[in-house]
Amino acid sequence: MAKHSTIIGDITRRTTIYRVFPRNRFFELFGEKKNALVWPTMWEDPFENFILRSPVRTAAGETGEFAFHEDVYGQCWTLKKRSDAMWRIYSPKTDAVRVRTTVGRLIDSLCAANKGVTNDSCFIGKVDYPPDFELKKFARTVFKDGLNAEAVARSLLKKRDAFEHEDEVRLIYFEGQNSKHGGGVYKYELNPHAVFDQFMIDPRMSYKDFCTFKDEIVARTGIDEARIKRSLLYKPPEGFVVEIP
């Protein structure tokens, strides 16, 4: 496996995580059998990757910038099992599929794909959402033990508290071979049938369209239809009765 693989934060190998894939990306994942990580600079929040983007000042008073922006790739997942916000943000056409896996299976897939590669590092960690004053303190201390791969990964596990609702977990790969991947996208081989154990379709899709979409997924991917669910996020709870005294 890759030289380093580390789990950071209050999660374990057995922790369940989720990611919503738009329809075309979902079928691409199964067609290519490759998972895609991107440069953190491509994430939507303009304050993402804020530490690696910031000017650097050494103890000697020298200033500069980090030189390895293009060596780090990441992918965002969530701990949220039920979330209206996640569907609305990542499924704008109401036709996305949410996949489920565990922290262990996901990071193992990344490490296995880089077996025999030297100087690379694989991380997966829970994102924290501190207030701004704590972010500034973190920026001053994150590299106190040196500029190493784990410190870089930890710098990507902080986000402004305005995004706390996302409850993110991030898969992070530090490229150690000075390789450059087209368009800031790093893809690695992954068997989606082995890594993912449940597939859930957008709750806003009609039942008729859900059945059609499920049949298409089975035909194009070979997934057992028993593993394909329709989200019931908006279904009223059973036995819900309003009592009037």
Side-chain angles (χ1 to χ4, degrees), residues 135-236:
L135 283 176
K136 292 177 181 178
K137 179 181 178 181
F138 177 76
R140 294 193 299 269
T141 60
V142 63
F143 298 119
K144 62 183 176 61
D145 295 324
L147 185 57
N148 53 60
E150 182 169 339
V152 171
R154 289 183 180 275
S155 78
L156 296 172
L157 297 176
K158 298 291 183 182
K159 197 168 181 179
R160 293 179 298 160
D161 54 8
F163 294 87
E164 192 170 7
H165 64 278
E166 294 178 345
D167 207 6
E168 277 187 86
V169 168
R170 288 179 170 173
L171 181 66
I172 299 167
Y173 180 62
F174 195 97
E175 173 69 73
Q177 302 298 304
N178 294 319
S179 301
K180 299 300 180 233
H181 305 280
V185 179
Y186 165 70
K187 294 186 177 182
Y188 69 91
E189 293 187 6
L190 168 147
N191 180 351
H193 292 278
V195 177
F196 309 131
D197 61 10
Q198 185 193 76
F199 308 88
M200 187 165 285
I201 294 174
D202 193 306
R204 295 166 294 174
M205 185 177 287
S206 70
Y207 182 73
K208 179 181 178 181
D209 288 342
F210 160 75
C211 293
T212 301
F213 191 25
K214 181 175 73 170
D215 290 343
E216 181 183 9
I217 291 173
V218 172
R220 293 181 62 175
T221 67
I223 295 172
D224 181 350
E225 65 176 279
R227 298 167 69 188
I228 304 171
K229 311 291 183 181
R230 181 188 182 214
S231 172
L232 300 179
L233 179 64
Y234 303 125
K235 181 181 179 181

Side-chain angles (χ1 to χ4, degrees), residues 31-172:
E32 294 185 348
K33 291 184 170 55
K34 290 184 178 180
N35 193 24
L37 282 66
V38 302
W39 288 334
T41 52
M42 297 171 67
W43 291 336
E44 290 185 357
D45 178 11
F47 288 90
E48 290 282 16
N49 200 16
F50 73 99
I51 289 179
L52 297 186
R53 286 179 172 181
S54 299
V56 175
R57 183 172 59 244
T58 69
E62 299 174 337
T63 59
E65 61 181 22
F66 291 105
F68 44 78
H69 294 277
E70 297 182 357
D71 298 332
V72 185
Y73 300 84
Q75 186 180 56
C76 301
W77 292 71
T78 182
L79 294 165
K80 290 283 189 184
K81 183 177 181 180
R82 292 167 58 85
S83 173
D84 173 79
M86 292 296 102
W87 285 115
R88 293 185 185 277
I89 293 169
Y90 298 107
S91 181
K93 297 182 179 180
T94 70
D95 62 351
V97 181
R98 191 198 72 184
V99 305
R100 184 180 74 182
T101 188
T102 63
V103 164
R105 286 203 301 269
L106 186 62
I107 194 169
D108 285 353
S109 73
L110 177 60
C111 291
N114 291 283
K115 186 177 181 180
V117 176
T118 58
N119 299 321
D120 68 335
S121 301
C122 304
F123 301 92
I124 191 165
K126 187 177 184 298
V127 175
D128 293 324
Y129 303 89
D132 286 354
F133 77 92
E134 288 190 13
L135 283 176
K136 292 177 181 178
K137 179 181 178 181
F138 177 76
R140 294 193 299 269
T141 60
V142 63
F143 298 119
K144 62 183 176 61
D145 295 324
L147 185 57
N148 53 60
E150 182 169 339
V152 171
R154 289 183 180 275
S155 78
L156 296 172
L157 297 176
K158 298 291 183 182
K159 197 168 181 179
R160 293 179 298 160
D161 54 8
F163 294 87
E164 192 170 7
H165 64 278
E166 294 178 345
D167 207 6
E168 277 187 86
V169 168
R170 288 179 170 173
L171 181 66
I172 299 167

